[in-house]
Amino acid sequence: DTAVSQTPKYLVTQMGNDKSIKCEQNLGHDTMYWYKQDSKKFLKIMFSYNNKELIINETVPNRFSPKSPDKAHLNLHINSLELGDSAVYFCASSQVQGRQPQHFGDGTRLSIL
Amino acid sequence: LAKTTQPISMDSYEGQEVNITCSHNNIATNDYITWYQQFPSQGPRFIIQGYKTKVTNEVASLFIPADRKSSTLSLPRVSLSDTAVYYCLVGDMGGRRALTFGSGTRLQVQP
């Protein structure tokens, strides 16, 4: 059973399009996160949700909007995609806000043409 | 936010012990130290976590000196499958501050 699953694994799209990445965790965790990993392998947090409440919102353009329908899901919607959005996006979850370990999905590689 | 500094890369041979050191000079009282391992095309995977002194589990040991300004991840008898990127992460227990993993240490294990 996959603990944290993301879909799609690969996403190739044109600049200016709107796309979504879905994330689901079956661990019963209260907190979910979105991270962005750039080409230099820096992994930086974007958002953190605890029981559907936004906790951390780092300096992310408002084109990025997380949506949490329930505590097992945290989807990432991106409007008006730009070339700089190309990266690998990881979803993660932890039992308690900020506590380790975090369990990561295998990432979604987003490529903007 | 406690910034971490790690070597960019390290090389080792199978069967050797590998020690990866992370500097975190401005670590705060409430911060604890966590290490993750990442293979290509996979998400990071938790290895070990500690606050002070020494922590050991089935895969690694974590050494933290009294001043907590650095930490060392020790991997005993590495194998080829330990080739990966290792990230040191410092975060507060409240979890309200953003976390950045940094660029990590790329460990290459040779036969």
Side-chain angles (χ1 to χ4, degrees), chain A residues 37 41 43 97-98 100 102, chain B residues 32 36 38 49 87 95 101:
Chain A
Q37 188 168 44
K41 301 302 182 184
L43 192 64
Q97 167 65 28
Q100 311 298 333
Q102 294 183 29
Chain B
Y32 52 97
Y36 282 82
Q38 185 178 26
Q49 173 184 288
Y87 293 95
F101 278 57

Side-chain angles (χ1 to χ4, degrees), chain B residues 10-32:
Chain B
M10 295 182 68
D11 291 312
S12 183
Y13 292 94
E14 282 191 293
Q16 289 187 333
E17 178 185 76
V18 171
N19 296 308
I20 306 174
T21 297
C22 178
S23 297
H24 27 81
N25 290 321
N26 59 342
I27 189 169
T29 302
N30 285 342
D31 286 345
Y32 52 97

Side-chain angles (χ1 to χ4, degrees), chain B residues 54-67:
Chain B
K54 176 184 175 182
V55 180
T56 297
N57 62 21
E58 62 276 9
V59 298
S61 294
L62 178 59
F63 298 93
I64 305 169
D67 66 5

Side-chain angles (χ1 to χ4, degrees), chain A residues 87-99:
Chain A
V88 181
Y89 293 84
F90 287 97
C91 177
S93 73
S94 65
Q95 193 165 18
V96 177
Q97 167 65 28
R99 293 297 181 96

Side-chain angles (χ1 to χ4, degrees), chain B residues 35-106:
Chain B
W35 285 79
Y36 282 82
Q37 174 192 55
Q38 185 178 26
F39 298 113
S41 301
Q42 293 185 23
R45 187 178 70 174
F46 172 84
I47 301 175
I48 197 166
Q49 173 184 288
Y51 183 78
K52 62 179 179 180
T53 62
K54 176 184 175 182
V55 180
T56 297
N57 62 21
E58 62 276 9
V59 298
S61 294
L62 178 59
F63 298 93
I64 305 169
D67 66 5
R68 303 202 326 123
K69 293 184 183 300
S70 66
S71 59
T72 299
L73 174 73
S74 181
L75 305 171
R77 297 181 299 281
V78 294
S79 63
L80 295 176
S81 63
D82 292 317
T83 295
V85 178
Y86 292 83
Y87 293 95
C88 165
L89 176 65
V90 175
D92 71 293
M93 294 180 180
R96 298 255 165 181
R97 287 188 281 126
L99 305 173
T100 299
F101 278 57
S103 58
T105 298
R106 184 174 300 277

